[in-house]
Amino acid sequence: MDLSELDRDSTGRCRLNSPVPAVCRKEPCILGVDEAGRGPVLGPMVYAICYCPLSRLADLEALKVADSKTLSESERDRLFVKMQEDGDFVGWALDVLSPNLISTSMLGRVKYNLNSLSHDTATGLVQFALDQGVKVAQVFVDTVGLPDTYQERLQQRFPGIEVTVKAKADALYPVVSAASICAKVARDQAVKNWHFVEKLQGLDADYGSGYPNDPKTKAWLRKHVEPVFGFPQFVRFSWRTAQSILEKEAEGVMWEDSLTGDQEGPGRITSYFSEGARVRPRLPHRKSSHAGRSRERASPAGPMLHHGAQSHD
């Protein structure tokens, strides 16, 4: 799987896809949607679709695909390779959302929460398959949020397609299991081979599972927080775990464009993102007084990520 586009720019998103099997442009197809990496504080979130003709669903089931969480890494890798080998009837596509994109979306002036980002990404992948000429007849989706609401939204968006949204769909429908394998293989590879653009002293690649409750992950975050500029782009700085470490380890900050202009001493770094913290539109490269020094504030897409205020675990 070629994730070189993510290596070149780890601030946004990238899409990968297999060639579309010719049969999928001729026969009605079933399509599954799932994600990997929704909860971790480290690394990207990956959404995936997998599809095949309804007439070949039994062949997909014969591969013994299963919920990726129940499989070992080697089993997932083997099944993904097998799906690629069966490219005459199986197709897939991925959307890799960087930690930077996730956090800046959640912390923007107009809030874009993780559920909305997830729904829109899934919808975009279904539309991508249609745009590629896949004759999608049925869609099965592992839910995010309330299944009925999500299903109604997708059904309205794709009125000519039969849509089913269920919790644990990756364990119920082989085509969703196949999508979950694609997503997990991509995320595992992205995390394992993450290209750090920041020059970190004593970089430790042993960051555990990446989930907020993992002691090894928390230790890695504490080790690699930068007092002024926060975390590297590998970190979702909008997560509560990251925010708590910033509040304890980062320097205080005084914003030049604060509401009253008479702030007494440096305040919390996350206060910059709080509602009503500013009265003027945010301008690029405004300067801040940080720990008694005037420094150029890095943009969210810069080498080191910003400190955040909203949280999600």
Side-chain angles (χ1 to χ4, degrees):
M1 187 178 294
D2 183 10
L3 293 175
S4 57
E5 183 180 344
L6 183 67
D7 290 340
R8 288 191 296 270
D9 181 7
S10 58
T11 65
R13 68 200 304 162
C14 71
R15 179 170 288 170
L16 304 174
N17 61 278
S18 70
V20 177
V23 67
C24 293
R25 291 192 169 104
K26 299 175 182 176
E27 296 185 17
C29 292
I30 184 171
L31 180 148
V33 183
D34 200 10
E35 52 76 26
R38 178 178 166 82
V41 65
L42 301 179
M45 177 171 69
V46 181
Y47 256 84
I49 58 172
C50 188
Y51 54 87
C52 73
L54 286 163
S55 64
R56 303 292 298 272
L57 182 56
D59 294 327
L60 180 65
E61 293 174 351
L63 297 179
K64 305 296 184 184
V65 291
D67 175 6
S68 64
K69 294 185 290 295
T70 68
L71 302 171
S72 67
E73 183 176 353
S74 61
E75 288 173 323
R76 292 191 296 266
D77 290 342
R78 179 184 62 79
L79 286 168
F80 181 72
V81 169
K82 185 60 179 172
M83 283 188 276
Q84 289 183 297
E85 292 173 349
D86 290 333
D88 60 325
F89 75 94
V90 177
W92 54 268
L94 303 169
D95 216 347
V96 183
L97 283 62
S98 71
N100 185 73
L101 182 143
I102 294 169
S103 289
T104 53
S105 295
M106 293 174 65
L107 296 174
R109 182 67 65 85
V110 177
K111 302 301 184 243
Y112 188 27
N113 66 39
L114 194 63
N115 279 7
S116 296
L117 181 60
S118 298
H119 292 164
D120 290 345
T121 302
T123 301
L125 281 170
V126 175
Q127 186 61 54
F128 176 76
L130 293 170
D131 293 343
Q132 294 295 301
V134 180
K135 295 187 66 174
V136 182
Q138 296 179 13
V139 170
F140 292 87
V141 184
D142 194 27
T143 194
V144 170
L146 297 174
D148 292 345
T149 304
Y150 191 8
Q151 180 170 315
E152 182 179 359
R153 176 180 175 179
L154 286 171
Q155 195 65 77
Q156 290 177 349
R157 179 67 177 78
F158 303 109
I161 299 173
E162 181 184 338
V163 177
T164 301
V165 178
K166 284 189 178 296
K168 309 296 183 183
D170 48 359
L172 298 173
Y173 307 105
V175 72
V176 182
S177 300
S180 76
I181 290 169
C182 294
K184 189 73 168 86
V185 167
R187 175 174 154 82
D188 285 350
Q189 182 175 325
V191 169
K192 185 182 298 183
N193 302 315
W194 187 261
H195 176 65
F196 285 88
V197 297
E198 305 84 7
K199 305 302 181 184
L200 301 178
Q201 296 295 324
L203 175 62
D204 179 7
D206 187 11
Y207 26 71
S209 67
Y211 279 86
N213 61 353
D214 186 336
K216 186 175 288 187
T217 298
K218 289 182 179 179
W220 188 92
L221 287 168
R222 285 191 292 269
K223 179 179 179 180
H224 292 292
V225 62
E226 210 283 335
V228 175
F229 295 108
F231 291 110
Q233 292 173 353
F234 188 51
V235 179
R236 302 180 192 178
F237 57 89
S238 55
W239 259 232
R240 184 177 297 110
T241 301
Q243 177 189 344
S244 297
I245 292 173
L246 283 172
E247 297 292 3
K248 293 176 182 177
E249 306 293 339
E251 296 290 345
V253 65
M254 185 177 294
W255 302 114
E256 183 182 282
D257 52 355
S258 63
L259 180 62
T260 63
D262 59 357
Q263 177 179 326
E264 295 182 2
R268 287 188 171 190
I269 190 72
T270 52
S271 65
Y272 183 75
F273 294 94
S274 300
E275 192 84 25
R278 298 180 302 280
V279 294
R280 295 194 297 274
R282 194 158 143 202
L283 301 175
H285 301 296
R286 290 194 61 81
K287 291 186 177 181
S288 64
S289 172
H290 205 251
R293 293 167 291 176
S294 180
R295 302 195 57 160
E296 197 71 23
R297 181 166 53 82
S299 72
M304 293 294 285
L305 284 185
H306 249 28
H307 312 298
Q310 273 201 352
S311 61
H312 178 88
D313 282 353

